[in-house]
Amino acid sequence: MDKKLIEEMIERAMAQLDYSYAPYSEFRVGAALLAEDGTFYGGCNVENAAYTPTNCAERTAFFKAVSEGKRRFTAICIVGGKGGVLTEYTAPCGVCRQVMMEFCDPETFQIILAVSKEDYKIFTLKEMIPMGFGPDNLA
Ligand code: THU
């Protein structure tokens, strides 16, 4: 991936931290999802007093995009930390990886985990969810 694009995605994911609604865990997460047509969708985690209705930042971004007609994606950037302070890579939970399996090619979809604009790691979806179950299994 182009370094400029990676940096833009990290900035966009970081900007989402301000919107994170995480009064229970205080763990703020921001995501920036890039659709194949070049459109960006931001997402933040949205917690709930009943805990289980909580939505992760990644799924927020995917559901925003899909609800606006996008179904093909290139990459997602994820940042997170307690109080919004970024100290470690925040990897997507299993549920979010499964949602990615629904709309992304595991071989090519890029998952950027960032701590800063200079400190990041990139994985394919396949690396994050080997032998994942997806739409192809039902074809
Ligand atoms: N969370 C995310 O939004 N994405 C992740 O990749 C990991 C976890 C959220 C869910 C919850 O609001 C908080 O982080 C603590 O689990």
Side-chain angles (χ1 to χ4, degrees):
M1 272 184 88
D2 178 63
K3 197 158 181 285
K4 273 256 150 56
L5 180 57
I6 294 169
E7 286 180 1
E8 178 175 0
M9 290 190 68
I10 294 171
E11 273 175 12
R12 285 178 180 271
M14 284 177 168
Q16 291 295 313
L17 292 170
D18 285 346
Y19 304 130
S20 163
Y21 178 72
Y24 306 106
S25 74
E26 291 176 14
F27 194 87
R28 291 175 175 265
V29 185
L33 176 64
L34 177 61
E36 246 180 40
D37 68 355
T39 317
F40 289 102
Y41 290 88
C44 65
N45 55 332
V46 183
E47 296 190 345
N48 188 280
Y51 292 4
T52 55
T54 293
N55 209 55
C56 290
E58 299 90 318
R59 272 176 292 144
T60 301
F62 269 93
F63 296 158
K64 280 170 67 178
V66 173
S67 70
E68 293 187 13
K70 304 296 162 68
R71 293 191 181 167
R72 297 172 67 85
F73 303 97
T74 308
I76 192 168
C77 176
I78 306 157
V79 298
K82 198 96 179 168
V85 180
L86 310 182
T87 54
E88 288 172 27
Y89 301 121
T90 297
C93 80
V95 174
C96 289
R97 294 178 202 207
Q98 187 61 40
V99 168
M100 291 174 197
M101 279 298 296
E102 192 64 31
F103 298 106
C104 308
D105 179 346
E107 307 272 353
T108 59
F109 185 69
Q110 309 279 297
I111 300 170
I112 305 161
L113 309 183
V115 172
S116 69
K117 265 171 46 172
E118 297 77 36
D119 181 0
Y120 59 83
K121 275 188 179 168
I122 306 181
F123 301 86
T124 63
L125 179 56
K126 193 175 180 178
E127 288 174 309
M128 285 272 165
I129 180 166
M131 272 192 80
F133 187 86
D136 288 352
N137 295 96
L138 298 179

